[in-house]
Amino acid sequence: MSDTSNLFHVSSVLNRRSITQHGLDWTRMGAAPGIAGSRRPEVEGIFVCRGEETAEFFLQINNTGGPVDLWSVDGIDEGLLLDNGNGFDYLPGRIPAARVRLVREDVPPQLGF
């Protein structure tokens, strides 16, 4: 298993308390829409970005209606990641709070994107 510290997750600031307490868990979605604006999980898992460049893309497409946070996700085997069919990676499972760390907070929506 190859651990990765180059994975990131973007989420509404409204989810910060839940993520801090419970980690990343798609069954707890509901405080805010997903980054693409979805109101319910698109997959049974957690979307992650490989690298800061991809994370920046998700920061730009923010469709949550407010600011977002950027979380670093550590200790995940990249071999477990799946493609959702649109080129975006997700982990089919939950990610414990001990494996996530807030690295940027309150990133405002990007106007004009």
Side-chain angles (χ1 to χ4, degrees):
M1 169 155 76
S2 61
D3 282 349
T4 302
S5 59
N6 199 28
L7 296 177
F8 297 93
H9 178 79
V10 178
S11 182
S12 168
V13 299
L14 298 176
N15 298 324
R16 188 182 303 156
R17 179 175 292 172
S18 177
I19 293 170
T20 301
Q21 290 179 327
H22 307 287
L24 298 168
D25 182 345
W26 79 93
T27 66
R28 294 182 174 275
M29 184 175 178
I35 293 302
S38 57
R39 282 289 189 190
R40 52 182 195 233
E42 295 175 36
V43 296
E44 290 185 357
I46 304 300
F47 281 99
V48 294
C49 309
R50 296 183 198 231
E52 292 182 50
E53 200 170 284
T54 305
E56 194 62 40
F57 168 76
F58 281 94
L59 291 171
Q60 291 176 4
I61 68 164
N62 171 13
N63 196 19
T64 65
V68 293
D69 292 333
L70 178 64
W71 299 82
S72 173
V73 179
D74 297 320
I76 303 298
D77 181 351
E78 284 192 45
L80 298 174
L81 298 179
L82 301 176
D83 184 312
N84 76 333
N86 292 319
F88 300 115
D89 296 317
Y90 73 96
L91 180 71
R94 296 167 179 92
I95 301 173
R99 293 200 174 180
V100 297
R101 178 175 46 90
L102 186 60
V103 292
R104 282 177 67 189
E105 58 186 272
D106 301 313
V107 179
Q110 308 291 313
L111 299 176
F113 186 80

